[in-house]
Amino acid sequence: MALATRTDRRPSTARTVWNSTVGKKSVMAVSGLIMLLYLVVHMIGNLKIFFGAGEFNHYAHWLRTVGEPFMHYEWTLWLVRIVLVAAVVAHAVSAYQLSRRDIRARPTKYVHRKARASYATRTMRWGGIILALFIVWHVLDLTTGTVHSGGFQEGHPYQNVVDTFSTWYGNVIYIVAMLAVGLHVRHGFWSAAQTLGAGSRSRDRALKATADVLALVLTAGFIAVPVGVMTGVVS
């Protein structure tokens, strides 16, 4: 008579890490830093618009030829896009699951809540939603031209940017989103540093100052473009 045997498969290390709260927070931190690096580079590239149409359009073309001839036309750009999309998805999924886990752990509301923690949580949650909606609009506006005003011109990013920021709603959408970016970066950078173990009593002040400076520089740098169009500096 054969005896039935049962083998219990243990979850993989990656699965175990992902299922843990620390693992999800680490994914949020790493993916957030990837997006932060992209934002810094993207902001610097955007500021080239103040050097004229030729400089800005040349920069946009260069993005599509990076790595040639080893990399084919736009391959590097698509690689960056894939990494960025993966970071956004990982960040959003881990944030959502951590939020649901936190709600399940606290089925009843506290009588007394810490105002600062509540404010930070609301800022990150709503800021994330605003940024997610903005990314969709931004891609449809300046990448595919689907919702672009004034007639989208392929290969003429300078004129496309000017068209977008020549409308009141284009300015409102962009500026509100960039304010959300600033708040998100300010709190997110600090949280990422704590999660990855970079925080300490001696470094906390420097980390907070770095978060504040990053948030301020990014917000001001991005908003400078629509302001430049509105004031006629960029036309």
Side-chain angles (χ1 to χ4, degrees):
M1 181 176 178
L3 295 176
T5 60
R6 191 185 73 175
T7 58
D8 294 328
R9 293 184 60 184
R10 294 183 178 180
S12 64
T13 302
R15 185 69 180 180
T16 301
V17 171
W18 171 249
N19 287 336
S20 68
T21 298
V22 173
K24 292 184 188 298
K25 287 184 177 181
S26 297
V27 169
M28 275 196 71
V30 173
S31 59
L33 291 176
I34 291 173
M35 290 186 287
L36 177 60
L37 176 61
Y38 170 79
L39 285 173
V40 172
V41 174
H42 190 43
M43 180 203 69
I44 294 172
N46 281 1
L47 293 178
K48 287 182 176 292
I49 200 168
F50 289 99
F51 296 94
E55 181 79 12
F56 191 71
N57 290 339
H58 176 71
Y59 163 69
H61 176 73
W62 173 82
L63 288 176
R64 289 159 173 76
T65 60
V66 174
E68 288 187 342
F70 179 74
M71 299 291 281
H72 194 61
Y73 183 75
E74 287 195 345
W75 277 15
T76 302
L77 181 60
W78 274 106
L79 181 61
V80 171
R81 286 170 174 169
I82 290 169
V83 172
L84 188 61
V85 168
V88 170
V89 171
H91 198 77
V93 171
S94 54
Y96 174 77
Q97 292 185 355
L98 282 170
S99 176
R100 300 303 302 173
R101 182 170 294 184
D102 184 54
I103 292 173
R104 287 195 300 269
R106 295 185 288 108
T108 57
K109 294 183 178 180
Y110 292 131
V111 177
H112 301 289
R113 290 187 296 179
K114 293 182 180 179
R116 186 174 182 180
S118 178
Y119 169 76
T121 300
R122 289 198 303 269
T123 298
M124 294 299 285
R125 182 178 298 141
W126 286 107
I129 293 173
I130 290 171
L131 292 177
L133 295 174
F134 167 75
I135 290 171
V136 174
W137 175 81
H138 196 52
V139 169
L140 293 176
D141 178 35
L142 293 176
T143 301
T144 67
T146 307
V147 299
H148 185 75
S149 61
F152 184 76
Q153 300 181 47
E154 187 71 36
H156 295 82
Y158 182 93
Q159 189 57 49
N160 292 333
V161 170
V162 172
D163 287 344
T164 290
F165 297 132
S166 295
T167 62
W168 68 267
Y169 59 86
N171 289 312
V172 170
I173 292 172
Y174 194 85
I175 291 174
V176 169
M178 292 309 104
L179 291 175
V181 164
L183 292 173
H184 212 76
V185 167
R186 183 176 181 272
H187 181 70
F189 181 84
W190 166 253
S191 298
Q194 301 305 308
T195 298
L196 298 177
S200 69
R201 185 171 296 180
S202 61
R203 291 194 294 263
D204 279 356
R205 182 174 296 180
L207 288 170
K208 288 180 179 178
T210 302
D212 290 341
V213 170
L214 275 171
L216 181 61
V217 170
L218 284 171
T219 304
F222 279 117
I223 290 179
V225 177
V227 170
V229 175
M230 285 188 287
T231 57
V233 175
V234 177
S235 61

